Amino acid sequence: LGELNPDARGVAVVRAPADVLGSCESSDTDLVSSASLVIACGLPDALVHDLGLRCWQLGTPLIVAGAAGFMASIRTVVPEHAVVESHAEMKQDLRLTAPFPALLSHVDGIDLDTLDPTDLGHVPFAVIIVKALQKWAAANSLVLGKDTIDIPYRRIGEVRDIVRAMAPVSDEENFVEAGKNLNANCTAYEIAFEVSQIIGDAAAAETSTSDSSNDADLQAFPSTSLLSDNCSKDKFWLMAKALRRFTESEYAKGVLPLSGTIPDMKADTKSYIALQRIYKQKADEDKAEFSKHIRDVLDSAGLPQDYVSQAEIDTYCKNARRLRLLRFTPIHTELKNKPSNIDELAFSEALYQYVMFRSSGMFFEKHK
């Protein structure tokens, strides 16, 4: 690799893995502790057990790979892996059933009845949907922006009829676009289950695990030992704690920071930019509020204010809806006993491959 790329730097240790793991020399013990990632290929189960235990204790990610003919096995071994920019596919977060004051004021300032046909054909679909939801809410003795609006799928057709009645002609593009986006924008706001797990985890709580477990509104991850030592200074968890405070605050009232992005819409440049500016301003306000909680969390942890950069805060807020956390089980206990998710494997084709790879490893270990 160093010969192919002059910018690459590497060191090779040509020794048997068993000798390195069994050595007490500092140079050998530091080999694993200094690594950012360990990849084990084709090692016997006994060595994988010892290596897995060493990596688990150090918190060093380990990937165990094996191959047999056209089949391969890859096992990830690390206590947890947090993802901020997961790029998960999600529906739009336009908050149309619970519009924030600036959005509601913007929509109320647009009178569809007084617009000429050209301007009416360039009203963004978000504005049209809010107008339709206001009429639907009024017909059901509700007030959009004050009452919770959660329209069941079977009744979305009622809102669609309102949109059609508002359209000057049946094939007006922006009204057709509004009708197509009703399904994704007529239900009540809710935090994704994966994000609820994160902010409901003991690592994001204000108190101990036993105290936080009584929170019925948040489903926490199963507890994993070894994690608590690092969470107090881990940036992901520091911001998760701030995110929990944000959602529980009177300012947010149970919602996450707004990302500030809006999808493409059939609209003229002026109308689209005006709407985009409103969402961007709201996102900046949410970010500023979130930053206050971050500062409080850092103060409580005895960490400097610049421990979490503004760029990291921006990224976290922008992707708050897409936060993901993966937790894994230790391979050294699995090799001595059985997988912790054996019930899940029993209903998966992966069980057969798992059994064959484990059996193959045991066979070679016995007859080496």
Side-chain angles (χ1 to χ4, degrees), residues 252-283:
K253 298 180 180 179
V255 303
L256 297 171
L258 193 66
S259 68
T261 59
I262 61 175
D264 292 334
M265 302 181 191
K266 170 64 178 177
D268 57 19
T269 302
K270 180 181 178 181
S271 300
Y272 185 82
I273 291 179
L275 184 64
Q276 189 178 50
R277 186 179 295 115
I278 290 171
Y279 276 91
K280 178 65 168 57
Q281 181 179 353
K282 173 60 176 172

Side-chain angles (χ1 to χ4, degrees), residues 98-110:
F100 46 93
L103 175 60
L104 200 56
S105 176
H106 175 73
V107 172
D108 289 340
I110 300 175

Side-chain angles (χ1 to χ4, degrees), residues 138-182:
N140 289 272
S141 302
L142 299 171
V143 178
L144 185 68
K146 294 182 178 180
D147 298 315
T148 300
I149 306 296
D150 188 10
I151 305 175
Y153 180 77
R154 67 179 184 278
R155 298 192 63 187
I156 292 180
E158 299 173 14
V159 186
R160 186 169 285 107
D161 290 340
I162 295 174
V163 171
R164 288 171 179 165
M166 294 164 56
V169 292
S170 60
D171 59 349
E172 191 68 64
E173 289 186 51
N174 55 334
F175 284 86
V176 172
E177 189 177 49
K180 291 179 179 179
N181 282 274
L182 286 176

Side-chain angles (χ1 to χ4, degrees), residues 37-115:
L37 174 66
V38 176
I39 302 176
C41 299
L43 295 182
D45 287 352
L47 278 179
V48 171
H49 173 277
D50 295 343
L51 182 60
L53 177 59
R54 178 83 62 85
C55 290
W56 189 265
Q57 291 173 336
L58 295 170
T60 303
L62 168 66
I63 296 178
V64 181
F70 290 104
M71 296 180 63
S73 169
I74 296 180
R75 172 73 157 82
T76 304
V77 187
V78 65
E80 71 176 23
H81 178 63
V83 184
V84 176
E85 299 180 79
S86 67
H87 303 287
E89 290 291 334
M90 303 184 72
K91 69 178 184 179
Q92 306 152 354
D93 183 22
L94 298 178
R95 313 275 173 96
L96 302 187
T97 56
F100 46 93
L103 175 60
L104 200 56
S105 176
H106 175 73
V107 172
D108 289 340
I110 300 175
D111 187 356
L112 300 183
D113 295 332
T114 61
L115 295 179

